[in-house]
Amino acid sequence: MPSSLFGRLAARLLLALTGLLAGASAYAQSTQDLLPVTEAYKLSADASQPGLLKLHWDIAPDYYLYRGRMKFTAGEGVTLGEAQLPDGEKHHDEYLGDVETYHHGIDAQIPYTVAAGTARLTLSVQYQGCHEVDPKICYPPHTEKLDLALSAAAAGGAAPSQDFGTALRAIDAGNALGANSAALPAEQAFRVEALATAPDRLLLRWTMAKGYYLYRDQTALSVPGAPALKLVPAWPAGTAHEDEHFGQVTVYYDQVEVPVGIAGDLQGRRQLTVQAAFQGCQEGGICYPVMTRTLQVDLPAGAATGSADAVSDDTAAAPETGLLLALLLAFGGGLILNLMPCVLPVLSIKAVSVLESGESPARARRHALLYTAGVLVSFAVVGGVIVGLRAAGHALGWGAQLQQPLVVAVLACVMFAVGLSMSGVVQFGATLGNTGASLANRAGPAGDFFTGVLAVVVASPCTAPFMGSALAYAFAAPIAAALAVFLMLGVGLALPFLLVGFVPSLARRLPRPGRWMETLKQVLAFPMYLTAVWLAWVLAHQRGADAIGLLLVAMVVLAMALWWFERSRSRGALSRALVLVLAVLTAVPLYYLTQVPAPTRADATAEGVVAYSPQKLAELRQAGTPVFVDMTADWCVTCKANEHAVLDTDAFRALLAKTGAVYMKGDWTDVNPTIAAFLQQYHSPGVPLYVVFPKGGGEGRQLPTVLTRGLVERALTEASR
């Protein structure tokens, strides 16, 4: 039955989108459970036998070392012979080819000689290993510097063996050992302090020596002996850094202050033990292994009131919006979403289906309930994924699924297919022109449910009035409250059709079914085509012309599949099998689309616009320049509406010149950790985000998500005083 095929296609799309979100969560999973390199591979050295150095590695379970990645470099006055290493386990490595590896432990011997008068045996030992179960990662090459005392005659006297687990360990980043020798001890390179700013609030301060930096995402905070307590940091915007080991990361130089919330019952504690595990590097030199510091913090009176409800999972401060107000705002925002341009094309489908039901109360109620179920389930899935990522220490903004080019392309194909259906190329359900009971009973529930799902997916680029505060609360509130806010958004979005389905007087006001509905259906197909065009435009900004070419090929094959599907209704099994072949071929260009790299973006997006970077913002603020920061994305409909009405106007440019302000724009069309950190700093669930920084310093002022000329003029005028 056609409607059942439509239902299967809808279910597969929902599973695909859910899989993408789950894949993003898996990709972002924390590696904090991995052992530091010096604990995974514990090295000890014994120089008690003159002329022979004995090395031993204790290798933790599920870890291994490469035999061919071991290197030994003599220090001053030392000559090393050939290292005597046992044979390892032979296997073929995906990246290194044929290799030998060691598990559990390894003993090695290196003959050596020392120059006359040399009292110490110095050398560098480099090795590399991997974790062989999930998460499967390989450590970068790691270097340890050994410095062992020798007897006066370098013979006969037993120099003590030394465990270097507590010494400074250096990851060789490809620099000369001489450059690494100038590295500071970890305690001097990275200092960390903690103090209590409230009964359930802390402030942690890292101070790095000049030329050293701290990784944001390699930091973990805990309370030893109190697993029920959770420390929730609110990291400020840092510096984007391309790291040869970790890829694109956020780092901090000089000093960073991090507000930290305490979630859980403090049970009258007046003192808290905080354990900070973190990692950092010397610029152009070595990278340190994970460092762990234990800090004692005195809590002020009133700490017994601390609880999980008093702190967000994303910020150190609880949301100012209360739960009841957040629910009301979410309901109002969901209701207004029905009028937003990103949702109206999908609602046209529902309008037709409701009109199809005629005067049958049972059909009207069924349409309404199934559509509402699709909306609520989708909002629950979105909220659950966001809460899950947040609990894992990651963030996913409102509408951020459109940062994935494959999601954008699939949605464009779906909109195109729905438009073809409404244009009459293919029929997924009963025809509109015939309202007989037999045909009405053939309409399956999958179409109604999937329409609700699609409404939620395309609603995410829009931010209706009232939604900003509600989403900010949901992205920071406890799990149950956050899910309640997302579900209330769904109730607001679905309410108009619930009323039509369950209030007969409203249903009677709808126009009577007739042949005119076929014309209406075909007219409403054009908003679907325009939505597909808009999504293609978003994809062009994300991946360029090559991606658009692949999307157009997918659409052509999809149109062919739907055309042949309609023609094969009265034909045999072979003809219907061709439909399946064409449907599979539609996925081929979409697969190649995922391989298209992102185009290089220019530093400045337009004349008079400065591309956002934390360093540039800091420079402008230090120079006493007011700054208007605009965080936007090509897929954000609200952002584009604000730009058209306010920001891309001569009046706004004249206002910038009058106030001496700089217009700084950050593009979140693709995944960007630097912009994500800025959004998190201002507790924003997504884009748009507008922050005005005043001339004389001080905190930035966050503006509403929907701008007016008067609002922006007042904000910039005050900032320039």
Side-chain angles (χ1 to χ4, degrees):
M1 187 178 291
S3 61
S4 63
L5 176 60
F6 181 76
R8 289 196 297 273
L9 290 172
R12 289 170 184 169
L13 175 59
L14 181 58
L15 287 174
L17 293 177
T18 305
L20 282 172
L21 291 172
S25 176
Y27 176 79
Q29 72 171 5
S30 172
T31 58
Q32 62 182 6
D33 293 334
L34 291 172
L35 294 175
V37 64
T38 53
E39 293 184 21
Y41 314 102
K42 293 182 179 179
L43 173 62
S44 58
D46 181 1
S48 59
Q49 182 177 344
L52 186 65
L53 173 65
K54 297 179 181 179
L55 300 176
H56 176 77
W57 282 268
D58 280 321
I59 304 174
D62 299 326
Y63 293 79
Y64 62 84
L65 281 175
Y66 289 107
R67 183 180 191 272
R69 308 292 285 182
M70 291 184 171
K71 297 180 181 179
F72 308 95
T73 306
E76 185 177 357
V78 177
T79 301
L80 297 178
E82 184 176 353
Q84 301 170 12
L85 299 170
D87 293 335
E89 301 173 24
K90 295 179 174 60
H91 72 95
H92 185 78
D93 187 276
E94 181 179 0
Y95 302 104
L96 301 178
D98 293 327
V99 297
E100 296 182 36
T101 59
Y102 300 115
H103 291 77
H104 310 303
I106 172 182
D107 290 295
Q109 295 182 348
I110 306 175
Y112 70 89
T113 58
V114 295
T118 301
R120 304 192 68 83
L121 175 62
T122 58
L123 71 155
S124 296
V125 180
Q126 179 180 304
Y127 55 89
Q128 185 177 14
C130 300
H131 188 238
E132 60 186 349
V133 297
D134 289 335
K136 296 180 179 179
I137 66 104
C138 288
Y139 293 87
H142 181 77
T143 299
E144 299 197 21
K145 296 180 181 179
L146 308 187
D147 188 348
L148 304 174
L150 298 174
S151 62
S161 65
Q162 182 176 353
D163 184 353
F164 284 82
T166 59
L168 174 67
R169 319 291 182 129
I171 300 175
D172 184 357
N175 302 288
L177 291 171
N180 292 345
S181 64
L184 294 172
E187 292 75 13
Q188 296 180 25
F190 303 90
R191 292 189 291 112
V192 60
E193 310 163 81
L195 58 89
T197 58
D200 55 355
R201 306 280 189 274
L202 303 176
L203 182 68
L204 266 65
R205 180 187 297 115
W206 275 268
T207 303
M208 281 67 72
K210 187 172 182 59
Y212 290 76
Y213 57 85
L214 174 77
Y215 291 107
R216 182 190 66 188
D217 297 330
Q218 302 301 318
T219 303
L221 304 175
S222 61
V223 181
L229 294 180
K230 181 182 178 182
L231 300 181
V232 186
W235 290 95
T239 301
H241 175 68
E242 184 64 34
D243 189 272
E244 64 175 304
H245 303 303
F246 300 119
Q248 187 71 25
V249 296
T250 298
V251 299
Y252 300 96
Y253 290 88
D254 301 324
Q255 187 177 86
V256 58
E257 293 186 345
V258 184
V260 178
I262 308 172
D265 188 358
L266 290 168
Q267 301 177 343
R269 289 174 181 260
R270 300 303 300 273
Q271 192 176 66
L272 197 67
T273 300
V274 176
Q275 189 173 85
F278 55 93
Q279 191 171 11
C281 297
Q282 178 191 25
E283 198 168 32
I286 67 167
C287 287
Y288 293 74
V290 175
M291 297 163 273
T292 302
R293 307 280 172 81
T294 301
L295 310 167
Q296 297 294 332
V297 184
D298 293 325
L299 301 177
T305 61
S307 68
D309 293 335
V311 64
S312 76
D313 286 347
D314 286 326
T315 69
E320 295 180 1
T321 306
L323 175 59
L324 180 59
L325 179 58
L327 292 175
L328 291 174
L329 293 173
F331 175 77
L335 194 61
I336 295 176
L337 272 179
N338 287 280
L339 305 177
M340 301 298 284
C342 45
V343 183
L344 278 174
V346 177
L347 295 187
S348 65
I349 306 173
K350 256 345 281 160
V352 171
S353 65
V354 171
L355 289 171
E356 272 189 297
S357 63
E359 297 180 352
S360 168
R363 284 205 54 174
R365 288 194 296 271
R366 190 190 70 182
H367 277 300
L369 287 175
L370 288 171
Y371 171 79
T372 302
V375 169
L376 293 180
V377 168
S378 301
F379 267 115
V381 170
V382 171
V385 170
I386 289 173
V387 168
L389 289 177
R390 190 188 67 190
H394 307 284
L396 182 67
W398 178 250
Q401 74 272 14
L402 293 183
Q403 291 177 332
Q404 306 300 326
L406 180 59
V407 175
V408 175
V410 169
L411 283 176
C413 289
V414 169
M415 292 298 180
F416 180 61
V418 172
L420 291 176
S421 171
M422 301 182 79
S423 295
V425 174
V426 62
Q427 296 294 325
F428 291 125
T431 61
L432 290 171
N434 189 339
T435 56
S438 61
L439 287 178
N441 291 333
R442 289 176 59 190
D448 295 320
F449 182 87
F450 175 67
T451 306
V453 174
L454 197 58
V456 174
V457 173
V458 300
S460 60
C462 294
T463 304
F466 314 133
M467 278 183 63
S469 298
L471 286 173
Y473 178 91
F475 277 62
I479 295 176
L483 291 177
V485 169
F486 279 102
L487 290 175
M488 190 58 72
L489 275 170
V491 172
L493 180 61
L495 181 62
F497 290 109
L498 281 175
L499 292 177
V500 170
F502 284 85
V503 180
S505 60
L506 291 177
R508 284 193 294 270
R509 293 178 183 272
L510 295 175
R512 299 292 181 182
R515 295 186 62 184
W516 62 271
M517 292 172 57
E518 185 67 29
T519 301
L520 175 64
K521 176 184 177 184
Q522 294 174 2
V523 169
L524 291 177
F526 293 99
M528 310 306 296
Y529 295 136
L530 288 175
T531 304
V533 170
W534 166 66
L535 289 165
W537 175 80
V538 171
L539 183 63
H541 281 252
Q542 291 177 325
R543 291 296 183 269
D546 289 345
I548 293 300
L550 290 168
L551 174 63
L552 292 177
V553 171
M555 285 181 164
V556 170
V557 178
L558 176 62
M560 188 184 303
L562 295 176
W563 168 73
W564 190 253
F565 166 72
E566 189 68 22
R567 290 179 61 87
S568 66
R569 291 181 185 273
S570 58
R571 304 192 179 192
L574 184 61
S575 181
R576 289 193 294 271
L578 181 59
V579 175
L580 180 60
V581 173
L582 290 172
V584 172
L585 289 177
T586 303
V588 174
L590 295 180
Y591 167 76
Y592 284 106
L593 187 148
T594 63
Q595 312 301 313
V596 177
T600 303
R601 292 181 177 268
D603 290 338
T605 55
E607 184 179 356
V609 181
V610 176
Y612 170 79
S613 74
Q615 300 93 328
K616 186 63 177 178
L617 177 60
E619 291 174 8
L620 291 170
R621 299 208 64 197
Q622 189 174 6
T625 305
V627 184
F628 184 97
V629 175
D630 170 12
M631 292 301 180
T632 183
D634 289 335
W635 42 260
C636 172
V637 176
T638 308
C639 304
K640 296 306 174 185
N642 287 334
E643 290 173 9
H644 176 74
V646 180
L647 302 179
D648 287 347
T649 63
D650 292 336
F652 179 68
R653 286 185 282 271
L655 179 62
L656 292 173
K658 176 183 175 182
T659 58
V662 170
Y663 181 24
M664 178 173 282
K665 181 181 286 190
D667 189 350
W668 208 42
T669 302
D670 276 324
V671 176
N672 188 315
T674 302
I675 294 178
F678 187 88
L679 296 175
Q680 185 179 14
Q681 180 182 355
Y682 285 91
H683 311 161
S684 176
V687 291
L689 171 63
Y690 307 104
V691 182
V692 176
F693 292 95
K695 177 180 180 180
E699 295 296 326
R701 175 188 173 188
Q702 185 172 342
L703 302 184
T705 55
V706 179
L707 298 179
T708 64
R709 293 188 181 184
L711 174 69
V712 173
E713 182 175 1
R714 286 193 298 272
L716 282 177
T717 301
E718 293 174 3
S720 64
R721 290 173 182 168

